[in-house]
Structure formats: structure tokens, C-alpha cells
């Protein structure tokens, strides 16, 4: 893209998708947060976004999404066009055959609409890992776990002769790999689309994307590299309003880093009035940095620069805030910037075709 173009023109045609973590707000029941996610997905589909993904978190008071494939089923049932998936299923927590079967069921019920986003993260605390019957070493076997899972989906696994993912084998599920570091190389060597966020900074993210493209091996899942950049984005009428949208989750992050518990989201005005400790303030300021926020033109300019710099094929947007109406307004503003419109039909091609098809294009 040409950086001299007007900010909104630079974003025209950029594919946008959404990751929702099913945040709990205030004293809300987690069950209500899950219902909010399903309602939110309907609105996101109406706005013309390409995908809607849900996440996996265990024993987190501020996040209700603990069973992503179950929640994805509810989202797919409540929508008709948008692609639905996970961002992601943390494979070290699960058995590859079971994951293949779960996504096989989703694909059977909602053909051509299901994405299988996979990650290698482990549970945050030792207690949760014990409850899941996993330990820190589980992530070390991730490449083998991934190969077994893809083997069950593709029907060519040989570790367990005679065992088949039914349904799942030979289906049209589109796999993606979520990476924050060396996982980009795993994605490249497996021939999978890459989903990456600037957790270690934009320079590091750009370096990892370049390495992914250099090391990429064409596969049945993708013939060329396909990069999805994940970013927190907040758009509002003023830069100050957009900043306030970031405050609730930033505080929950700061609290988690200083008290070892991620709490439900609180109103921005309540948080900004708090007397934070020096340590809390440092974590809070840290959590507010590195995000895309501002008015429409400001967001368009920042996102356009991000796409220019990374060569991203798609942007996976996330925003968790206390005010759900303001959150939806932010997503609506962003959709208008890109000229997003509801897609006709649903979408992706079967495994073994082009990267564009494997990624639901």
C-alpha cells in the first residue's frame, strides 16, 4: 500500500476478523457473558466481518470462555455467513484425536465455515495444570501433537493405525497456528496460516513474520504463506473516548500481574479514580501501550501502517471493555473504514487447495 494515500483509502478492502474472549463485566454471571458473546457475534456478522473467533481460558474469574469448541458451536448456530473458529484451542491441554473429532462435528454441522485456530499455551497456574492433568512439559511436545492432529484431520496419520476421526477426517476445517515466538517456525514448517500478535513488540513481530515466510513449506493446508496479525483496536468519536475503551481490560491485566487473578471488567471511570500502587500503575501503563486507538482517521492510519509494515493478509481485531454498546460502536466504526460488507455464501475451500481457500478467502 502507498502510505501517501488518505488514511481510510489505505484500509479499503483489508479483511477484518474478530476475536472475542467472553469477558465478564462487573458482577455479571459468567453464563450471561457467554450469551453476550453469541449476541455480539450476530452483530459482528451484520457488520460484514470475515471471521468470529472465541478463546480458551480456564479458572479465570474475568473470562467465561473455557470451552471454545462448545461456544463456537453456539456462535455458528446463531449466525449464517461469518466464519467461526477458535483463537485458539490450546493443544497441550487436549488429546489430538478429541480435538479432531470436535472440529469434525463443527464442520459437519456448519460446513465450509469452521476455522481451527490452535495455540501451544499452558494454563497460567500450577493448580489449573494439575486439574487439567498437564504439566509444564506438555508444551514441549507441541510439534508432535500438531502433526498428529493434522494427521487425523487429513486422514494420513500413522501413529495409531486403524484409528480415524469420525467425523473430521477429510473435512474442510481450516487450521491456523497462533504464535508469539518460535511458533512461527512451526507454522511455516507445517504449512499453516500464521496468527501473530505484537506481544514482544512490533519489530519482533515483523521479524517473526519474515522468518515464517522464508521457512514456509507448501502443504495441503496452504500453498503460500498467509499471515493474520492480531491487534487490540479501539475507535471512537475522540481519541480520549477511544483511550477509555482500553482502560477496563488494562486494569484487569494490571491486577492479574500484581495479584495473580484476572478479575471481571470494571467501568473506566471507576478505574481512573483508583489510587494505584506504584507496581499496579506500572503494569497498568504497560497494558495501555502498543494498541491501536483513536478517531477513525487515526485508527485507519495506524492500521494501514501496520498492514504496510507486516504485509498482513488479514487483521484479527480484539477489544474487551466494560461498555458493550461503546465496544460495538468501535467495531462498527472500524468496519466502515474498510468498507466491510456481508459476504455472500459462507466460504472456504477444502484442504489441499490454495492458501486463499484454506484461509477462507
Amino acid at each position: 500500500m502507498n502510505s501517501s494515500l488518505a488514511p481510510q483509502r489505505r484500509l479499503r478492502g483489508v479483511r477484518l476478523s474478530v476475536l472475542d474472549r467472553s469477558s465478564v463485566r462487573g458482577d455479571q454471571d459468567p453464563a450471561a457473558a457467554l450469551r453476550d458473546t453469541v449476541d455480539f457475534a450476530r452483530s459482528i456478522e451484520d457488520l460484514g466481518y470475515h471471521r468470529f473467533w472465541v478463546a480458551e481460558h480456564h479458572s479465570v474469574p474475568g473470562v467465561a470462555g473455557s470451552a471454545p469448541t462448545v461456544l463456537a458451536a453456539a456462535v455458528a448456530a446463531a449466525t449464517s455467513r461469518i466464519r467461526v473458529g477458535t483463537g485458539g484451542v490450546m493443544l497441550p491441554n487436549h488429546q489430538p484425536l478429541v480435538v479432531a473429532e470436535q472440529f469434525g462435528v463443527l464442520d459437519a454441522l456448519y460446513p465450509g465455515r469452521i476455522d481451527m485456530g490452535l495455540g501451544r499455551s499452558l494454563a497460567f497456574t500450577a493448580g489449573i495444570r494439575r486439574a487439567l492433568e498437564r504439566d509444564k512439559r506438555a508444551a514441549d511436545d507441541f510439534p508432535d501433537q500438531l502433526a498428529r492432529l493434522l494427521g487425523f484431520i487429513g486422514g494420513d496419520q500413522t501413529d495409531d493405525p486403524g484409528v480415524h476421526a469420525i467425523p473430521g477426517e477429510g473435512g474442510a476445517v481450516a487450521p491456523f497456528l497462533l504464535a508469539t515466538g518460535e511458533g512461527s517456525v512451526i507454522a511455516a514448517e507445517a504449512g499453516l496460516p500464521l496468527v501473530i500478535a505484537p506481544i514482544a513488540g512490533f519489530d519482533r513481530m515483523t521479524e517473526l513474520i519474515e522468518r515464517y515466510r522464508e521457512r514456509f513449506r507448501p502443504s495441503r493446508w496452504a500453498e503460500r504463506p498467509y499471515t493474520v496479525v492480531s491487534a487490540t483496536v479501539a475507535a471512537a468519536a475522540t481519541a480520549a473516548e477511544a483511550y477509555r475503551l482500553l482502560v477496563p481490560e488494562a486494569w484487569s491485566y494490571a491486577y492479574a500481574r500484581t495479584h495473580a487473578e484476572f478479575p471481571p471488567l470494571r467501568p473506566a471511570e471507576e478505574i481512573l479514580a483508583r489510587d494505584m500502587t506504584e507496581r499496579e500503575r506500572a503494569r497498568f501503563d504497560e497494558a495501555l501501550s502498543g494498541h491501536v486507538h483513536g478517531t477513525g482517521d487515526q485508527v485507519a492510519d495506524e492500521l494501514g501502517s501496520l498492514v504496510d509494515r507486516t504485509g498482513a493478509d488479514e487483521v484479527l481485531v480484539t477489544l474487551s471493555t466494560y461498555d458493550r454498546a461503546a465496544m460495538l460502536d468501535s467495531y462498527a466504526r472500524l468496519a466502515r473504514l474498510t468498507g466491510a460488507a456481508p459476504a455472500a455464501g459462507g466460504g472456504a475451500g477444502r484442504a489441499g487447495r490454495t492458501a486463499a481457500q484454506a484461509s477462507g478467502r
Side-chain angles (χ1 to χ4, degrees), residues 65-125:
S66 57
T69 54
V70 178
L71 183 54
V75 169
T79 55
S80 60
R81 300 181 306 271
I82 196 167
R83 293 191 65 86
V84 177
T86 56
V89 164
M90 297 301 130
L91 192 51
N93 293 337
H94 308 278
Q95 294 296 331
L97 174 60
V98 174
V99 175
E101 291 169 337
Q102 289 174 342
F103 279 93
V105 170
L106 287 170
D107 179 56
L109 295 174
Y110 310 101
R113 294 179 57 204
I114 301 301
D115 300 324
M116 181 174 65
L118 304 166
R120 63 179 297 183
S121 296
L122 288 169
F124 183 65
T125 68

Side-chain angles (χ1 to χ4, degrees), residues 187-188 191-192 211-219 222-225:
L192 296 181
R211 186 180 304 175
Y212 163 72
R213 291 178 178 141
E214 291 169 358
R215 303 275 294 269
F216 185 84
R217 299 175 183 172
S219 71
E223 291 181 359
R224 65 169 181 83

Side-chain angles (χ1 to χ4, degrees), residues 83 172 174 221 223 226 347-361:
R83 293 191 65 86
W221 314 110
E223 291 181 359
Y226 188 91
R350 282 187 169 268
R353 300 184 182 175
T354 65
Q357 290 169 312
S359 303
R361 299 179 77 179

Side-chain angles (χ1 to χ4, degrees), residues 11 14-20 40-53 79-84 113 115 231 233-235 299 303 314-319 326-347 360:
L11 274 186
V14 172
R15 173 169 285 164
L16 290 180
S17 297
V18 172
L19 171 64
D20 186 69
F40 180 50
R42 294 190 188 99
S43 298
I44 288 298
E45 179 176 67
D46 290 341
L47 289 172
Y49 282 81
H50 184 56
R51 312 179 199 277
F52 188 91
W53 283 6
T79 55
S80 60
R81 300 181 306 271
I82 196 167
R83 293 191 65 86
V84 177
R113 294 179 57 204
D115 300 324
V233 182
V299 165
L303 272 187
E314 184 174 335
V315 179
L316 181 66
V317 180
T318 185
L319 174 63
M327 182 178 75
L328 182 59
D329 177 71
S330 176
Y331 280 101
R333 290 172 184 272
L334 185 56
R336 290 195 293 271
L337 292 177
T338 62

